Amino acid sequence: MKFLSAILSLMLLFLPVLCAADSVQLTLDREATLFWPEGTGADDAVYTYHYLLPRAGGEDPVAEGINAFYEYMESDTVDFTLPIGGESLSDPTLPARTDVTASITCQTDSYVSILMETRSFLDGEHYLNYSAQVFAKQGNKQGLVISLPYLLGTLSDSEADTWLQDRQTQKADACVRRLIWEEIEASEMDLLPDVTFDFFSAMFYPEEDFYLLDDHTLVFFVQPGILTDQTDAPALFELDLDLILDEI
């Protein structure tokens, strides 16, 4: 009986930890297909917009923050992105479509990372764009999207000094740009003729153009068509967290 009591005590001891680890259940089922102009459908729409976004189960602040972020993205798509995109079409007789797809790249006790792929066919041209969000699961910013300096720890969760925020962001950006440019120069990438370090720096925003893997490796992406003529995929560069910290 004492043995069973001891086992039960241990289970109760670890239950809060297990619950905390499983408190955010992510699914990719926030989905809708929208049509423009209003009142049209699949057969007569000028512009079709489809999205598949994450949904977080649970009632803790992390789940609430993730859901609030993507609920806002949904409403912004309906109110602004869809109508502005439709009204901006040069030739409404051509088929126009955008597909937004999310994937979960990291889900640990510390972070949730989501990679977003947006593919569009507008006015007879194909476009591909990548974006990502890293949500903190701990600290003062739990449930919020964090940028690179907060992930590196060079800015504290409670830092309110805007000068320091800008300064640390600039330092992190400069470090990552230099490390990746060194990798580009050492590679056999067939760069476009006009690509220089200054051009690369102007087109690449390390503070937000990255996602995490489960081992917390950072994967930075440069949009398709920026470095090379490859337009069907971004250029990806993996950097270890400790390497960036050593170089800052």
Side-chain angles (χ1 to χ4, degrees):
M1 189 69 177
K2 290 182 178 179
F3 176 75
L4 291 176
S5 297
I7 294 296
L8 180 59
S9 297
L10 285 172
M11 290 176 64
L12 292 174
L13 177 64
F14 286 104
L15 184 59
V17 177
L18 295 173
C19 291
D22 296 334
S23 61
V24 179
Q25 297 86 40
L26 284 177
T27 56
L28 294 173
D29 62 357
R30 190 186 297 274
E31 184 173 15
T33 302
L34 311 173
F35 303 101
W36 186 89
E38 187 177 357
T40 59
D43 295 332
D44 57 349
V46 172
Y47 184 29
T48 302
Y49 197 107
H50 174 263
Y51 62 79
L52 180 64
L53 302 176
R55 188 186 309 275
E59 298 180 355
D60 71 1
V62 178
E64 292 175 359
I66 292 173
N67 284 330
F69 183 91
Y70 293 110
E71 285 166 6
Y72 176 81
M73 182 176 289
E74 283 186 294
S75 64
D76 189 66
T77 297
V78 172
D79 295 338
F80 298 102
T81 306
L82 178 68
I84 290 174
E87 292 168 1
S88 300
L89 294 171
S90 300
D91 187 351
T93 65
L94 292 175
R97 182 180 179 92
T98 293
D99 288 280
V100 180
T101 305
S103 57
I104 303 166
T105 65
C106 170
Q107 188 172 2
T108 65
D109 291 342
S110 300
Y111 304 106
V112 167
S113 179
I114 306 295
L115 177 63
M116 311 280 294
E117 178 185 275
T118 301
R119 291 184 178 271
S120 296
F121 184 70
L122 306 171
D123 289 325
E125 298 289 339
H126 289 278
Y127 301 93
L128 176 61
N129 182 269
Y130 276 65
S131 59
Q133 299 86 43
V134 177
F135 294 89
K137 294 179 72 175
Q138 300 174 353
N140 294 332
K141 288 189 173 293
Q142 61 176 334
L144 300 179
V145 176
I146 60 170
S147 60
L148 183 60
Y150 292 98
L151 181 68
L152 295 173
T154 56
L155 278 175
S156 69
D157 291 347
S158 57
E159 183 57 63
D161 186 332
T162 56
W163 180 88
L164 185 59
Q165 291 173 349
D166 291 342
R167 172 60 177 161
Q168 295 301 87
T169 298
Q170 291 168 4
K171 287 176 63 177
D173 283 354
C175 176
V176 171
R177 285 175 179 138
R178 178 175 55 80
L179 288 172
I180 291 180
W181 185 252
E182 290 173 358
E183 185 174 336
I184 291 171
E185 288 188 313
S187 72
E188 297 181 356
M189 294 180 66
D190 188 12
L191 298 178
L192 292 169
D194 294 334
V195 174
T196 63
F197 177 72
D198 288 342
F199 174 82
F200 162 73
S201 298
M203 302 300 291
F204 172 48
Y205 306 93
E207 74 269 19
E208 59 184 35
D209 289 352
F210 75 96
Y211 58 91
L212 289 182
L213 302 180
D214 279 337
D215 63 359
H216 290 173
T217 297
L218 289 83
V219 183
F220 293 90
F221 51 87
V222 181
Q223 299 295 345
I226 298 298
L227 296 177
T228 71
D229 60 5
Q230 183 178 6
T231 58
D232 59 349
L236 302 179
F237 303 90
E238 292 188 6
L239 290 180
D240 184 78
L241 189 68
D242 291 336
L243 173 62
I244 301 174
L245 289 172
D246 287 344
E247 294 291 330
I248 289 181

